[in-house]
Amino acid sequence: MVGSSHEALHRIFQKDPTLLTRALQRVLHVPFPEPRQIAALNVDLTEIEPVERRVDTLLRAETDEGTYLFVIESQGKVDDRKRGSWPYYLSYLYEKYRCEPVLIVVTQNSATAKWASRPIRLGFRDWHSLTVRPLVLGPDNVPVIADEQSAVRDVPIAVLSAMTHGRGRQAPAILESLATALQTIDDETAAVFVQFVDSCLADPQAKQMWRDLMTATQYFWRHPLAEQVREEGRVEAKAEMVLHILEWRGIEVPDAVRDRVNACTDLNRLEVWAQRAMHAEDAAELFAGE
């Protein structure tokens, strides 16, 4: 199960490697040749020395013009350590596979995208022994897909759009269009895309909107994310029950008690509190001995 935007932003290209080619061609306008085949490779770049190095996603693309390695890095913030890591990755991979590596950075942040797009030049001021020029996919160049027709035409691009732009005033149109488009693809792929989008939505309102849109679809309820949503619903209902029992019995519920009950995510503990609420003379007795 994908648990973070960092994972989702690069793993979407594992789920649909052809999305990367389309992003290069249509978003970044890079004339990359059409691959005959794309395969995922081992991301572990660890050497014999105890220094662990891993790329986020590594794909090999076979084209009529040769074989290329896509080195995909999900970047949440500026990290100047990458000035050393990224050139190392590319050099190591070229030496290991003897084919051309291409670095692609994916981010949700405009400032991070601007930073990542700067060339990394190693050497003298007027003589660079090595220059690394990352290709960057971010909010300034990934298209906003906010209509159903465009979303249906290219569902993976619409997913990437939602992962990158799913916030603010444009969020409802983006998410609603994608929700419709997901119904046009197979359930298993749709379920994975649902999780990718959920992991990348940092805005609580947008995340709740997405989960509300998804709860009516059958493939969503077969996905691990659905169990998380159901569990959250059970916890919320049980917390409300604890408070309602006290209120029904005419017991005053101080804000501190209410906040503690609402903040609890342990269903078993809430069940204990509900039983205590049936006999408590004071709201604080819910937490006796804790």
Side-chain angles (χ1 to χ4, degrees), residues 23-38:
L24 290 174
Q25 295 170 344
R26 301 178 190 177
V27 178
L28 299 177
H29 307 292
V30 174
F32 189 82
E34 200 67 33
R36 296 190 304 272
Q37 180 182 3
I38 298 180

Side-chain angles (χ1 to χ4, degrees), residues 148-169:
E148 293 181 7
Q149 186 175 3
S150 298
V152 170
R153 188 181 306 121
D154 195 332
V155 177
I157 283 285
V159 173
L160 186 61
S161 175
M163 293 162 63
T164 308
H165 301 288
R167 65 183 64 187
R169 291 180 298 176

Side-chain angles (χ1 to χ4, degrees), residues 90-140:
L90 301 181
S91 299
Y92 176 88
L93 289 167
Y94 179 77
E95 175 64 20
K96 180 175 182 178
Y97 292 101
R98 288 295 170 176
C99 51
E100 302 294 338
V102 180
L103 175 60
I104 297 103
V105 179
V106 191
T107 182
Q108 294 175 290
N109 183 277
S110 293
T112 302
K114 183 178 180 180
W115 162 80
S117 65
R118 296 171 185 162
I120 300 171
R121 296 185 174 94
L122 305 181
F124 295 113
R125 183 180 61 183
D126 298 321
W127 186 269
H128 304 125
S129 300
L130 177 64
T131 300
V132 175
R133 298 179 60 196
L135 292 165
V136 181
L137 291 168
D140 297 327

Side-chain angles (χ1 to χ4, degrees), residues 240-261:
E240 290 179 355
M241 177 183 296
V242 171
L243 298 174
H244 286 328
I245 291 173
L246 293 174
E247 292 167 353
W248 291 334
R249 297 183 60 234
I251 296 175
E252 182 179 356
V253 181
D255 289 342
V257 172
R258 186 179 303 275
D259 291 345
R260 183 171 175 180
V261 171

Side-chain angles (χ1 to χ4, degrees), residues 58-251:
L58 182 61
L59 304 173
R60 178 166 56 196
E62 306 286 348
T63 78
D64 291 337
E65 297 179 15
T67 301
Y68 296 87
L69 298 176
F70 289 135
V71 184
I72 306 171
E73 287 281 280
S74 174
Q75 195 68 29
K77 61 182 180 180
V78 173
D79 183 356
D80 287 329
R81 292 176 300 177
K82 297 298 184 180
R83 178 178 172 84
S85 297
W86 287 342
Y88 171 86
Y89 294 166
L90 301 181
S91 299
Y92 176 88
L93 289 167
Y94 179 77
E95 175 64 20
K96 180 175 182 178
Y97 292 101
R98 288 295 170 176
C99 51
E100 302 294 338
V102 180
L103 175 60
I104 297 103
V105 179
V106 191
T107 182
Q108 294 175 290
N109 183 277
S110 293
T112 302
K114 183 178 180 180
W115 162 80
S117 65
R118 296 171 185 162
I120 300 171
R121 296 185 174 94
L122 305 181
F124 295 113
R125 183 180 61 183
D126 298 321
W127 186 269
H128 304 125
S129 300
L130 177 64
T131 300
V132 175
R133 298 179 60 196
L135 292 165
V136 181
L137 291 168
D140 297 327
N141 55 17
V142 172
V144 175
I145 307 297
D147 65 277
E148 293 181 7
Q149 186 175 3
S150 298
V152 170
R153 188 181 306 121
D154 195 332
V155 177
I157 283 285
V159 173
L160 186 61
S161 175
M163 293 162 63
T164 308
H165 301 288
R167 65 183 64 187
R169 291 180 298 176
Q170 57 194 354
I174 293 173
L175 298 179
E176 288 173 6
S177 298
L178 177 58
T180 299
L182 288 174
Q183 299 176 38
T184 66
I185 64 176
D186 67 277
D187 289 355
E188 181 180 353
T189 299
V192 175
F193 285 161
V194 166
Q195 187 183 2
F196 286 161
V197 173
D198 188 86
S199 297
C200 285
L201 293 175
D203 183 342
Q205 290 185 330
K207 185 182 287 284
Q208 187 58 53
M209 181 189 311
W210 180 241
R211 292 184 172 187
D212 289 343
L213 285 168
M214 291 297 98
T215 52
T217 59
Q218 292 182 354
Y219 55 76
F220 176 73
W221 292 111
R222 291 203 297 272
H223 197 273
L225 177 61
E227 179 58 32
Q228 178 184 340
V229 175
R230 288 195 290 269
E231 181 70 13
E232 290 173 357
R234 288 194 290 266
V235 166
E236 183 178 351
K238 184 64 70 173
E240 290 179 355
M241 177 183 296
V242 171
L243 298 174
H244 286 328
I245 291 173
L246 293 174
E247 292 167 353
W248 291 334
R249 297 183 60 234
I251 296 175

